[in-house]
Amino acid sequence: MATNLLNFDAKGLVDFCNEIGEKPFRAKQLLRWIHQFGVTDFVAMSDLAKGLREKLSTVAVIESPQILSDYEASDGTRKWLLAVGAGNGIETVFIPETNRGTLCVSSQVGCALACTFCSTGKQGFNRNLTVAEIIGQLWMANKLLKHDTESVSAGTQRVVTNVVMMGMGEPLANFDNVVMALDLMLDDHAYGLSRRKVTVSTSGLVPALDRLRERCPVALAVSLHAPNDDLRDQLVPINKKYPLKVLLDACQRYLAVAPRDFVTFEYVMLDGVNDSVSHAHELIKLVQDIPCKFNLIPFNSFPGSGFKRSSAESVRVFRDILQQAGLVTTVRKTRGDDIAAACGQLAGQVMDKTRRTANARAACTK
Ligand code: SAH
Ligand code: SF4
């Protein structure tokens, strides 16, 4: 079977070149052709020797997951549903803003951590994405968005400048593949993004967070969602294993090497659950020793979730209390509502075995 070169970071490509009897410098050329120019046809790789191009055409491919659907919301947010085999779909979302374009990337099919308000968590764990499936999301988005840029008016921001690992799945539970994909995002011969512009979001897998600190410290977002262990145990079950004190200590360790001098705490606003004035005060106390910013996320409802979104007024009051205590606090805009594209809510589908693709399409248009 042909080798998918999207599965390799720089080192992997050097090894691959060795295996097929080619010099290591070919790896850099290949990286550029694949990731910077988005070329899939080896014949078009004009600075490779003809013999090598022919060899590659027989032993290798460059293949990202197949696009099942591609929707653009009225606010410019774009969502792709990608096929990852066995009837499963993952989602990738592009969020254009004035000075940047952020791609929200998935890391797993489903998620084992079962946070009670998360639709991905509700579907259980299916499998880890491969490196090709993770980096393939950025590869595909770049190709499609760059192509669009040529046809839209100059100055319209359409290319990916930031990546957030906030799609389906827990990135730190798929450590090796996620880190290889991060390596490619940062590699100057591939995407050349700075560490500050690549964010890993975690619900708090502490040992893996320590490993990330050592191996590839990119910007960090931590899904806090509660100001005390009792409530967090209910909302984010992994808290029973790594409670708040342990998690916040790990955040402190991370900050020593992080590319940004703060951690972003995500806090989903659930009506009557974690959004009271006293929760806000408790939260201020909890994080008093940690340089941090807060991102309040209005809950994205889905059928059977059992939760309701906090009112706009509760979110405003909560934000004001945090801000008055000196904590920089933003409220996530709900983007792309008309295509169910809100990052993090991503309604993953474990599809009915008989109606897989039909279900995927239907879910995407709801
Ligand atoms: N597993 C990682 C990253 C993916 S989820 C994590 O948990 O951090 C990205 C963010 O979306 C997390 O903060 C998550 O808690 C949040 N989220 C999950 N379901 C949500 C929902 N229904 N509404 C709003 N935010 C949600
Ligand atoms: Fe998994 Fe994150 Fe959803 Fe929790 S919020 S179930 S960790 S994807």
Side-chain angles (χ1 to χ4, degrees), residues 68 221 246:
L68 287 175
V246 174

Side-chain angles (χ1 to χ4, degrees), residues 307-325:
F307 292 102
K308 277 199 328 212
R309 181 184 285 193
S310 303
S311 69
E313 177 61 8
S314 313
V315 175
R316 194 187 58 71
V317 170
F318 202 92
R319 181 201 61 195
D320 289 352
I321 296 172
L322 297 190
Q323 270 177 348
Q324 275 151 24

